[in-house]
Structures are given as structure tokens and as C-alpha cells.
Amino acid sequence: MPCTLRTFGLWLLLILTVSLVAEMRTLVTPSNGLRPKMSKDNDSAASTNSSLMDRQQNSFILPVEANTSLSEPVNTKAVLSCPPITQKAVLVTIRWEIILRDKPSCTRAYRRDTNETRAINCSDETISWDSRPDWNLALQINPVAITHDGYYRCEVVTTHGHFYHGYHLKVLVPPDVTLFQLENGTIVCRAAAGKPAAQISWTPGGDCHTVEEPLGNDTVTVQSSCRWEDHRVSNVSCSVSHLTGNTSLSIERNSGVQSVVNVRTVYIILPILIILVIVGSIYLWKIRVCRMKCSPMPATQRRTIHFMIL
């Protein structure tokens, strides 16, 4: 009996010991597992903040360069802007480089610390600052001319780096559109001195022939001539498409030509008829006088005829 109690006591002590160890592991494991988890979250947050700061710093430090194609109609005002400057950045200098065809490069610069502007090889007074460079860095062209085709590049130097923006400027010239009819019935639509060349279309379509004539100053004259065999076509339209806008003109077939021909006929034939009548009257009068002088007549009869003539 005593041995049995002693054995039971040992087993009970062993079970209590195992239970206590298991409980201690349960209490220790969450605390040990929680510590790495907190460390991972903190590292992730720190990494995120670091990457945001790096991107912000890189957006200011890394140079930015962009190019834009720009089309402006002739005789208008064009304003070219520089890259925007952030609030944290401080302007140091700005430089506009202007490269035009068949002309030396022109440079307009501004220095902030000395509030000084300068121009090098800039003879075109229509290209200038849009306002005071310490207020506005933009460049203006007023008025725009065909010779202003070229490349304009703005370089901004700040405490956060260099920034560039270039413009490929293309000047547009609207064509002078006319529509008229020739004496042979051909109708002509002409888009003169446009830049770039205009496109011409007809309504209704006919037997048309289109030619282009370069004028030497980058402008082109486009002329389209059309004929219609269908006599039922009385009204035709010419449509001119261009980057500066579209134009449409209409004309009545034949009526305009016939009236012009009739007027020309009257103005040409009428003076000729008047001249012929006058010359013929004088000629007949001279013949009659000559016959009277040359024919032998009695003096009394000659006096009577002479009196009648007078």
C-alpha cells in the first residue's frame, strides 16, 4: 500500500511539472513572437517614409528636360513658358536660347542675385521678355512672323537643379482663297501663299487638275482647275482645308462668264461702230464735194448746190 501511494505521488508531481512547463512556454512564446512583428512594421514604415523622401528629393535634384511642338498663326502673339519652379526651390539664373534658320543663335539671360539681364546676338525686337524676368520667366513673340520658325529652349537653374523646356515653333500662314471662272468655262479655286500647303476639294466632283507652286518663303500657292461635262451642274463649291481654318466658296456656272462676255462685247464693238460712222460720213462728204468741183456745171447751178451744202 505505501508503495502504491508513493508511485501515485510521483506521477502526480510529474504531471504538474509538465503542465507548468507547457504554460510557461505558452506565456513566453507570444511575447517572443510579437517582438519581431513589431520590428517588421517599424522597418516597413521607416522604409516607406525613406522612399517618399527620396522621391521628393529626386524630383528636385534630377534634371528635367521636355520638348513641345508648337504651331502659331502669323501676326498673332505667342508666349513661351519656362518649367515651373517649386516653392522650396530658389531661382539662380534663367537663359533662353533661340535658334532660327539662317541666323546666329540668340541668347537672353537673367541673373537673380544681381537682377541683371543681357542679350547676345539678339537683333529681333519682336522677341523679348513677356514682362519683367524677375516676375515672369516667359518669352513673347509679338507679332509672329514667318521668320520665327525655329527652336526655343529655356534653361532654369535653381537651388534644386537644372530644368529645361524646348519649343519647336512652326508658324502658320492662312492662304488667300479665291474662286473664279475662265472664259472657256473652267472654274479655278486658288489658295495663295499658305503655310503649309492647303488642301482643295470640290462639290460636286469634276475633271480637276491641281498644282502647287512654292513661293520661296516657305509658303505655297495651290490652284485647282475643274470642268464639268454634265450641263445640269449649275452650282459648284470649292472647299479649302488648312491648319488655320477651313474656307468654302460657291459659284454659278456659265452665268458669270456670259455676262462678262456680253459686257466686253458691248464695250469693244460700240466705240468701233461710232468711229466707222464718223469716218464714213467724212469720206462721203469729201467725195461729194470733189465731184461738185470737178464736174462742168453752170455757174448758177454750182452756186445753188454750194448753197445747199452750206
Side-chain angles (χ1 to χ4, degrees):
M1 184 69 180
C3 289
T4 304
L5 292 175
R6 190 178 302 172
T7 303
F8 178 77
L10 291 174
W11 278 105
L12 182 61
L13 182 61
L14 180 61
I15 292 173
L16 290 176
T17 304
V18 171
S19 300
L20 182 61
V21 172
E23 185 177 359
M24 290 181 63
R25 286 182 178 180
T26 304
L27 293 175
V28 172
T29 301
S31 61
N32 292 338
L34 183 62
R35 186 174 300 171
K37 184 177 181 181
M38 292 294 294
S39 176
K40 183 178 181 181
D41 291 342
N42 291 337
D43 292 343
S44 177
S47 175
T48 302
N49 293 333
S50 177
S51 62
L52 289 175
M53 293 180 62
D54 290 342
R55 284 199 297 268
Q56 290 178 354
Q57 291 178 356
N58 289 338
S59 65
F60 294 132
I61 296 175
L62 296 178
V64 177
E65 184 167 3
N67 287 283
T68 304
S69 295
L70 183 64
S71 297
E72 291 291 338
V74 71
N75 297 326
T76 60
K77 178 182 177 180
V79 178
L80 310 180
S81 301
C82 286
I85 301 177
T86 60
Q87 295 180 354
K88 294 183 180 181
V90 178
L91 176 67
V92 178
T93 60
I94 175 178
R95 187 171 70 97
W96 275 100
E97 184 179 9
I98 305 167
I99 303 175
L100 304 179
R101 185 175 59 186
D102 300 330
K103 290 184 179 181
S105 176
C106 161
T107 301
R108 292 186 179 274
Y110 168 71
R111 184 170 178 175
R112 181 178 177 274
D113 58 349
T114 59
N115 196 26
E116 177 186 3
T117 60
R118 64 174 181 171
I120 303 175
N121 294 329
C122 300
S123 58
D124 192 342
E125 297 181 356
T126 61
I127 304 177
S128 61
W129 299 101
D130 188 36
S131 61
R132 290 175 49 181
D134 55 339
W135 291 352
N136 187 358
L137 308 181
L139 194 73
Q140 73 164 357
I141 309 173
N142 189 24
V144 175
I146 298 179
T147 55
H148 291 147
D149 264 348
Y151 182 68
Y152 301 75
R153 184 172 184 264
C154 176
E155 176 187 1
V156 177
V157 180
T158 69
T159 54
H160 287 244
H162 292 62
F163 300 85
Y164 306 89
H165 197 110
Y167 295 89
H168 294 277
L169 179 61
K170 183 178 182 180
V171 180
L172 307 177
V173 180
D176 183 17
V177 181
T178 55
L179 181 64
F180 54 93
Q181 189 170 1
L182 302 178
E183 294 183 2
N184 61 0
T186 301
I187 298 181
V188 178
C189 184
R190 178 181 296 163
K195 181 176 179 291
Q199 302 292 326
I200 299 178
S201 59
W202 293 89
T203 304
D207 182 14
C208 303
H209 178 65
T210 303
V211 294
E212 295 185 2
E213 179 187 0
L215 301 181
N217 58 349
D218 292 337
T219 61
V220 181
T221 294
V222 182
Q223 180 171 301
S224 181
S225 305
C226 282
R227 295 181 61 88
W228 289 265
E229 299 297 336
D230 189 355
H231 298 288
R232 293 175 297 178
V233 177
S234 59
N235 185 282
V236 296
S237 298
C238 164
S239 298
V240 177
S241 301
H242 195 261
L243 294 179
T244 58
N246 301 328
T247 304
S248 182
L249 299 177
S250 299
I251 191 173
E252 292 287 339
R253 289 184 62 202
N254 299 326
S255 59
V257 174
Q258 290 177 355
S259 60
V260 171
V261 171
N262 292 336
V263 171
R264 287 182 178 178
T265 302
V266 171
Y267 279 114
I268 293 175
I269 295 179
L270 185 59
I272 294 176
L273 290 176
I274 294 175
I275 292 173
L276 290 177
V277 170
I278 295 174
V279 172
S281 300
I282 295 174
Y283 181 74
L284 293 176
W285 181 78
K286 287 186 176 182
I287 292 176
R288 187 172 182 180
V289 172
C290 181
R291 287 179 179 178
M292 290 174 55
K293 290 181 179 181
C294 296
S295 61
M297 292 184 181
T300 304
Q301 188 177 359
R302 286 200 301 271
R303 283 196 301 269
T304 303
I305 295 174
H306 181 69
F307 176 75
M308 291 175 64
I309 292 174
L310 295 176

